[in-house]
């Protein structure tokens, strides 16, 4: 829980600094569309993101299936 709190605090502080610098430089904060990183990603970046997400979910599923087969 402590790690999540620290991570959330760091995210809020860094996002605040980023928006503060943008505000000082005179940029207007547009609609929520510009805050979504999926709208500005290129095809290779999307492929790498989906590949990493696949690795994130496949390993626990395979581990679970292997444990389930070993029980029988």
């Amino acid at each position: 829980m402590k790690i999540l709190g620290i991570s959330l605090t760091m995210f809020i502080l860094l996002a605040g600094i980023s928006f503060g610098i943008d505000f000082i430089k005179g940029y207007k904060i547009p609609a929520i569309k510009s805050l979504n990183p999926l709208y500005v990603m290129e095809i290779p970046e999307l492929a790498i993101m989906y590949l990493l997400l696949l690795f994130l979910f496949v390993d626990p599923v395979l581990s679970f299936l292997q444990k389930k087969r070993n029980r029988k």
Side-chain angles (χ1 to χ4, degrees), residues 16-72:
I17 289 170
S18 175
F19 284 130
I21 290 172
D22 287 346
F23 182 72
I24 289 171
K25 289 181 99 178
Y27 294 131
K28 302 249 193 275
I29 298 175
I32 195 72
K33 183 177 181 180
S34 67
L35 297 177
N36 190 347
L38 296 176
Y39 289 130
V40 295
M41 282 186 165
E42 298 287 333
I43 299 297
E45 292 171 331
L46 286 172
I48 291 171
M49 182 189 73
Y50 289 134
L51 185 66
L52 290 174
L53 286 173
L54 180 70
F55 288 150
L56 180 70
F57 290 111
V58 167
D59 188 39
V61 169
L62 290 177
S63 175
F64 173 75
L65 291 175
Q66 185 179 15
K67 287 179 184 177
K68 190 174 179 181
R69 287 183 191 148
N70 289 338
R71 289 183 190 167
K72 289 184 180 180

